[in-house]
Amino acid sequence: MPSQKPKIAIVGAGIGGLTLWHALRARGLDADLFEQAHELAEIGAAVALSANATRELGRLGLLDAVVAASTEPTELVYRDGRSGARIAAHPMRLGGAYRQRFGAPYCGVHRADLQRALSAGVAPDRLHLGRRLVGLDEREGAVTLTFADGGSVSADVVIAADGVRSVARRHVVGDDGLLYSGTSGFRGIVPIDRLPSLPDPQAIQFWMGPSAHLLHYAIGGDAGHVNFLAVVEAPRAWPHAERGLAPSSAAEALAFFEGWHPAVTEMIAAVAHEARWGLFLAHPLPRWRRGRVALLGDAAHAMLPHHGQGANTTIEDAVTVAELFAAQDGDVNGALAAYEALRRPRTRAIQRASWAGNRALHLPDGATAARDALIAAFPEQFGWIHAFDALAAAKAPLRSAARSATR
Ligand SMILES: Cc1cc2nc3c(=O)[nH]c(=O)nc-3n(C[C@H](O)[C@H](O)[C@H](O)COP(=O)(O)OP(=O)(O)OC[C@H]3O[C@@H](n4cnc5c(N)ncnc54)[C@H](O)[C@@H]3O)c2cc1C
């Protein structure tokens, strides 16, 4: 088996690409990161990181910076969107319940803070900004990456973490592989002192109603702001196939939530909503790799945000690829085959659960008794998502291969 280190190119310096860079470096492997943006600047939104990702960030020495900029939610609360009644509540920071159960924290963090933490320490000569991938071509064991600026580079292997509208996905599966969910979202970040009607402002809360829901959680080291995502079952068809954002307004957003609890309407009214987000997911792809090009993160398994797992599963992917590259000692094809076999079933199961979660959150009035029972059991039912240890899972097939080799 070859033992030379492969020349690795990562496309996209988002959550997946940056985590992968660190995970490779931690294992003595270098990679070049090619990012289309001219600077790394993430604006206007936050992300919730669960234990399946924070345990990996801890192993990479990146967690302290994330925790310092985060709020750990007190509880996970489900409420009726109109009356505000608490339908179910599960302790998280309270009594240390979440950390005790999963061994790592749950963090609400601004994306700019997360990006700062992930990009710190990336070698400047390995980060190539302003390089938008437009083409991939593989010949005789090498892949050529072509960029919009007309330049090209060659690598032994390409990991494409180029997000939900991945160019590399077209190369791997032959089409754009994206499906519009029939739902769209209004997002915003609001200072807590502008939300006088909000009960439990440091909890992560779902406000549920017919055909819509709103999710929010506090962010920042001082829990000074609330990040929210309001999801509605409209428009039926997305008008701009090539774009994830469409122009909108606060009036349009508020119209979906007429008659809802003031905590919900205050939050939505606090933001201008110049745009709404179409919620897209990747079709279950027939494959994640073609030759020496593999997809990672949203490029491979973009999912609905209802379990808050897009970024978390992306971080799991990154650790898995890095561990397999290191363990396979230069056998790129073996590492990529193992990566695909390990990651597809888990991410597919979470994609499915996220789709089902949307239905449970949007039931019409009068059909909610079964939903309420379901929601009361959510932490038990979906504990497998948070309990997952990606590094241990990546090491498991290697351990069993080693055992059979010594038999
Ligand atoms: C409304 C909403 C709320 C969400 N909330 C959560 C949450 O709470 N928790 C959670 O886990 N996930 C959440 N997600 C999902 C999460 O944002 C994504 O799953 C995650 O960012 C995926 O990481 P990635 O690295 O694959 O892609 P990204 O983080 O999107 O990074 C892709 C990078 O590739 C670059 N790029 C794209 N094309 C090219 C190209 N051709 N050449 C070079 N560079 C390129 C981009 O500029 C970008 O930097 C949410 C998503 C949405 C839409």
Side-chain angles (χ1 to χ4, degrees):
M1 195 176 288
S3 63
Q4 218 188 333
K5 287 182 185 174
K7 190 173 172 207
I8 302 169
I10 303 170
V11 182
I15 292 171
L18 289 169
T19 308
L20 176 59
W21 192 91
H22 286 284
L24 289 166
R25 180 45 84 80
R27 291 163 175 81
L29 293 168
D30 284 320
D32 285 290
L33 259 167
F34 298 95
E35 164 60 43
Q36 66 180 1
H38 290 273
E39 59 174 328
L40 291 186
E42 195 42 271
I43 42 139
V47 67
L49 297 178
S50 48
N52 43 319
T54 56
R55 102 169 88 258
E56 302 305 339
L57 296 181
R59 287 169 173 153
L60 293 172
L62 300 169
L63 184 58
D64 288 349
V66 173
V67 168
S70 299
T71 305
E72 291 185 46
T74 47
E75 294 175 277
L76 167 62
V77 179
Y78 292 90
R79 291 181 184 272
D80 182 279
R82 279 196 270 251
S83 70
R86 276 165 71 109
I87 291 164
H90 309 285
M92 295 184 73
R93 176 164 30 112
L94 291 183
Y98 187 86
R99 282 184 184 240
Q100 265 170 40
R101 179 162 180 215
F102 297 112
Y106 192 100
C107 297
V109 61
H110 197 290
R111 276 175 187 257
D113 290 326
L114 177 60
Q115 193 156 54
R116 211 167 291 128
L118 296 181
S119 56
V122 172
D125 61 329
R126 293 293 194 169
L127 176 60
H128 310 281
L129 296 172
R131 304 227 72 186
R132 182 162 65 84
L133 181 82
V134 291
L136 291 159
D137 184 30
E138 180 172 345
R139 278 164 216 223
E140 293 159 15
V143 186
T144 302
L145 299 90
T146 308
F147 299 99
D149 59 14
S152 62
V153 297
S154 145
D156 296 325
V157 58
V158 176
I159 305 297
D162 54 342
V164 65
R165 288 174 185 278
S166 166
V167 167
R169 184 167 54 223
R170 220 170 248 291
H171 170 81
V172 170
V173 298
D175 63 40
D176 85 348
L178 266 190
L179 177 68
Y180 171 59
S181 64
T183 59
S184 61
F186 299 91
R187 311 163 81 171
I189 294 180
V190 186
I192 259 170
D193 56 18
R194 289 188 60 193
L195 302 170
S197 306
L198 179 63
D200 301 323
Q202 289 198 35
I204 177 165
Q205 304 199 72
F206 285 92
W207 299 74
M208 306 174 294
S211 308
H213 77 271
L214 180 140
L215 157 74
H216 67 83
Y217 49 84
I219 59 169
D222 59 355
H225 290 76
V226 161
N227 173 74
F228 74 86
L229 169 65
V231 176
V232 299
E233 293 192 1
R236 234 178 228 288
W238 190 250
H240 321 278
E242 72 295 351
R243 275 186 289 136
L245 285 177
S248 189
S249 65
E252 185 178 33
L254 273 169
F256 287 104
F257 294 90
E258 206 182 316
W260 284 52
H261 191 276
V264 170
T265 50
E266 261 169 27
M267 215 178 280
I268 294 174
V271 175
H273 298 296
E274 283 163 8
R276 71 201 278 187
W277 269 258
L279 299 181
F280 287 80
L281 64 160
H283 283 293
L285 301 185
R287 57 187 168 277
W288 280 20
R289 68 194 169 99
R290 178 171 157 199
R292 290 165 168 252
V293 177
L295 306 174
L296 181 146
D298 276 6
H301 51 69
M303 55 183 67
L304 295 179
H306 310 312
H307 279 296
Q309 284 299 319
N312 292 305
T313 50
T314 295
I315 290 170
E316 293 177 6
D317 288 350
V319 168
T320 307
V321 172
E323 181 61 21
L324 292 168
F325 272 172
Q328 301 274 349
D329 195 21
D331 175 10
V332 164
N333 287 321
L336 293 184
Y339 162 67
E340 184 177 3
L342 271 175
R343 297 300 302 157
R344 274 178 75 197
R346 172 165 167 83
T347 51
R348 181 75 196 111
I350 299 175
Q351 272 186 319
R352 265 200 301 265
S354 301
W355 186 275
N358 187 61
R359 277 200 301 275
L361 295 169
H362 291 185
L363 289 186
D365 293 338
T368 51
R371 175 201 71 190
D372 294 353
L374 187 77
I375 278 165
F378 261 12
E380 291 314 316
Q381 210 185 345
F382 295 111
W384 59 273
I385 295 179
H386 299 228
F388 186 72
D389 184 329
L391 181 60
K395 286 177 184 289
L398 303 167
R399 271 199 304 270
S400 77
R403 265 199 306 274
S404 11
T406 53
R407 261 185 219 134

